[in-house]
Amino acid sequence: SSRGLFQKAIEILRRLESTKGPNDEGTDYGEILNEKGKLFFALSEYREAIDCFARASNYAKNHDAWIKYHVNAAAAYRQLAEIDTAFRYLNLLQADIAAMSPHIKGHYLLNLSAIQGMMGLYQQGIATIDESLHCLSEAGVHTYDAVLYNNRGLAYLGIGDYNQAESCLCMALELDPTRAMHTLSELGRLHLLRGDLAQSVHYAQRALSRVWESLVNFEKEEIASLCRLLAQISVQVEDQELGLQLAEKAQVYYGQLGLWQEWGAIDEEISHGSARRVPIQRELGHSASQEIRRFLRWLDAMNSQELIHSQISKLLDIRVHYVKLFAQFLGLHEAEETNLILASRFADYGLTALEHDVVIDPSRSPQATDHYRMHPMLSLQLMQTLDMSTSVMDIVIDHHEWYDGTGYPMGKSSMDIHPLARVFAVVDQYATGIAMEEKPHSVVIADIVSHEMTRFDPEVTHAFVRMFE
């Protein structure tokens, strides 16, 4: 699981769970269930995660383990936007806080502070974060420092202390510059509140660059935070229509997360921005609007694909996750990895132009099959509005071509198929088997191997199997 091979890890843990009993000597049954829950959490399957954590608490070996499993369950409830349930879970543990080890106490307080922030209890949240930092430092754990400083900055932003907020957010950025989209968005919002639109645009563009670099699995809160900032900037540069579109996007995501305080603040921010615009250079305003419009087009394209099928969002996330891992395993260049990630996100965009019945069951008739087989060409046409590179387009157009020449839309074979499309095809088959067909990892791998030399490049197939070994 530490390598990100989640489906294989789940299969191993399920095997352990079925073969090892709770009373087997040398078996920590609670930890098996906890690890399984953490994997479901990583895959955004929060109900399954909660079930695992609840069962794990029945087999906890010690007090710290029992606390840990309950905190993990609260974190899963928070992801489901069931804030009251998460808060109740954590409050029940307050009586046990004196008995917690520094590591467990720090982890408990980290989760509590996140809930306090979501509920608008900013002063309490700051005190809880400081205590969490102290406990985790005492335990020699610094994994969560960037998250804690980010949350501390948001709390100070909530109470209007901009200097402290900027200090904390910059510290979070320094501690973990690779996962900083949310922090950059909030720094942009901070400078907008100060009236420094040029600096706000600077941070917004840095946040946008993270979207262009790697569309992997950005959290809804990150996307909502960025949309919120971009909506305010758009209004400031006198693009009211664009601002309203982005504000609506932000409210959709905040509503799904149950963050109603942020949801309600957006209308006021937009009307306030309309009434008090800050002068800005025409060139800067035009540049910002162009980049923001591009982001919105990409976001609309991703959202439209989610309407294709109830499992399409899961399919895209799994596909992107494994194409990134596989690209790194193969030692591909960063640009090739990025192109594969973008192709993974948008290869099925053409399906949005087809009738729903054709997408769900393309084998229902010869005509339906013919229409379905045109979706790579349709994806290509639709993606031209997204300013994609020709390299990404080449992957998308070839991703259903088969190694033996029986694929579509052009019937290419072997080395005539784009090399990255041959990589993508194997990952796509794996993600489809896992997400759409709900097959176990080993069954999907066996299916891929059975189609080497017909559908898939044998060298690519062997490399994919080796990645899991």
Side-chain angles (χ1 to χ4, degrees):
S1 62
S2 62
R3 291 166 54 205
L5 305 174
F6 298 141
Q7 276 70 27
K8 180 168 184 177
I10 286 175
E11 190 172 67
I12 291 170
L13 287 171
R14 279 176 171 155
R15 195 180 306 128
L16 278 172
E17 187 184 356
S18 64
T19 57
K20 300 285 186 180
N23 300 317
D24 283 4
E25 189 176 348
T27 299
D28 191 339
Y29 199 69
E31 200 57 27
I32 291 173
L33 293 168
N34 180 59
E35 287 298 320
K36 189 176 161 190
K38 285 162 62 179
L39 287 166
F40 281 126
F41 189 99
L43 293 166
S44 303
E45 296 177 17
Y46 301 116
R47 292 292 177 197
E48 291 86 345
I50 289 167
D51 178 66
C52 289
F53 296 140
R55 290 168 59 209
S57 65
N58 295 324
Y59 302 104
K61 290 280 189 180
N62 52 53
H63 183 263
D64 267 4
W66 186 83
I67 294 289
K68 178 173 67 175
Y69 304 154
H70 278 78
V71 170
N72 289 346
Y77 277 117
R78 176 162 58 91
Q79 293 296 326
L80 288 168
E82 297 183 21
I83 308 302
D84 290 342
T85 303
F87 194 49
R88 187 172 69 251
Y89 252 72
L90 294 173
N91 271 339
L92 288 172
L93 302 176
Q94 280 280 10
D96 299 287
I97 197 166
M100 297 180 194
S101 68
H103 186 181
I104 294 299
K105 184 178 178 181
H107 191 243
Y108 161 72
L109 292 169
L110 182 155
N111 281 273
L112 179 61
S113 68
I115 297 293
Q116 289 169 333
M118 294 171 84
M119 298 176 74
L121 306 172
Y122 300 124
Q123 294 285 9
Q124 291 180 34
I126 291 167
T128 304
I129 287 168
D130 289 346
E131 193 176 357
S132 177
L133 281 165
H134 173 76
C135 291
L136 290 171
S137 179
E138 185 181 344
V141 177
H142 296 282
T143 312
Y144 310 106
D145 286 3
V147 173
L148 285 162
Y149 274 101
N150 181 79
N151 291 350
R152 197 167 183 255
L154 296 183
Y156 276 118
L157 196 56
I159 61 177
D161 190 335
Y162 299 155
N163 290 335
Q164 285 280 16
E166 184 174 20
S167 175
C168 292
L169 290 171
C170 286
M171 175 62 76
L173 203 59
E174 182 181 332
L175 288 167
D176 190 359
T178 62
R179 295 177 59 85
M181 199 173 92
H182 191 196
T183 305
L184 289 167
S185 298
E186 294 304 328
L187 278 165
R189 187 161 69 93
L190 184 153
H191 283 283
L192 204 60
L193 290 167
R194 282 176 166 169
D196 187 350
L197 182 56
Q199 191 66 6
S200 179
V201 170
H202 165 73
Y203 279 114
Q205 289 175 325
R206 286 181 64 184
L208 280 169
S209 74
R210 303 301 172 114
V211 179
W212 313 144
E213 288 168 5
S214 176
L215 277 172
V216 186
N217 288 322
F218 287 129
E219 300 291 337
K220 286 181 180 178
E221 190 172 355
E222 290 180 329
I223 294 293
S225 176
L226 182 55
C227 286
R228 179 183 187 179
L229 170 62
L230 296 178
Q232 293 173 274
I233 289 174
S234 298
V235 170
Q236 291 283 326
V237 299
E238 302 186 359
D239 197 334
Q240 187 77 13
E241 181 184 354
L242 181 59
L244 290 173
Q245 289 175 344
L246 287 157
E248 184 178 311
K249 288 280 187 193
Q251 286 183 316
V252 167
Y253 286 121
Y254 280 134
Q256 290 173 351
L257 292 165
L259 298 175
W260 300 112
Q261 188 168 353
E262 284 78 1
W263 186 94
I266 289 174
D267 288 334
E268 183 181 346
E269 290 169 355
I270 294 298
S271 56
H272 177 76
S274 299
R276 298 181 59 186
R277 294 192 180 98
V278 179
I280 188 169
Q281 296 177 2
R282 182 181 298 275
E283 295 81 6
L284 180 58
H286 177 73
S287 172
S289 288
Q290 291 295 104
E291 194 75 356
I292 291 168
R293 285 186 183 281
R294 185 184 180 207
F295 168 72
L296 186 59
R297 288 198 304 272
W298 284 38
L299 205 56
D300 281 338
M302 287 193 290
N303 293 155
S304 68
Q305 288 180 100
E306 293 174 0
L307 302 176
I308 295 170
H309 190 281
S310 60
Q311 293 293 93
I312 197 72
S313 181
K314 181 179 179 180
L315 168 70
L316 297 181
D317 285 346
I318 291 175
R319 193 161 70 186
V320 171
H321 177 76
Y322 281 99
V323 87
K324 183 178 177 67
L325 291 181
F326 196 29
Q328 292 170 352
F329 180 78
L330 292 171
L332 299 181
H333 295 301
E334 184 179 349
E336 293 174 313
E337 180 184 316
T338 299
N339 289 339
L340 277 166
I341 288 169
L342 292 173
S344 295
R345 276 288 177 211
F346 298 105
D348 293 326
Y349 194 13
L351 292 176
T352 62
L354 296 177
E355 294 181 8
H356 183 69
D357 291 346
V358 170
V359 175
I360 296 301
D361 185 14
S363 62
R364 59 200 294 262
S365 69
Q367 292 80 10
T369 301
D370 289 341
H371 288 163
Y372 183 85
R373 287 182 165 227
M374 289 302 296
H375 83 262
M377 299 292 290
L378 293 170
S379 294
L380 203 65
Q381 293 172 19
L382 293 172
M383 287 169 64
Q384 287 173 355
T385 66
L386 305 178
D387 302 323
M388 291 286 179
S389 70
T390 54
S391 299
V392 177
M393 303 283 201
D394 289 342
I395 299 170
V396 170
I397 197 65
D398 280 4
H399 79 282
H400 278 299
E401 300 288 2
W402 289 358
Y403 197 73
D404 65 359
T406 61
Y408 57 89
M410 307 297 291
K412 294 182 182 180
S413 65
S414 187
M415 299 299 112
D416 290 335
I417 303 169
H418 192 283
L420 294 183
R422 283 179 262 141
V423 170
F424 177 76
V426 173
V427 179
D428 183 40
Q429 182 69 19
Y430 182 78
T432 300
I434 295 293
M436 307 300 284
E437 299 166 6
E438 299 183 337
K439 294 177 180 177
H441 159 82
S442 58
V443 172
V444 180
I445 288 292
D447 181 54
I448 290 171
V449 171
S450 72
H451 288 97
E452 64 173 323
M453 291 298 296
T454 53
R455 292 188 186 182
F456 309 120
D457 182 329
E459 288 189 16
V460 175
T461 302
H462 295 163
F464 192 68
V465 173
R466 283 201 309 276
M467 181 176 73
F468 290 95
E469 294 171 351

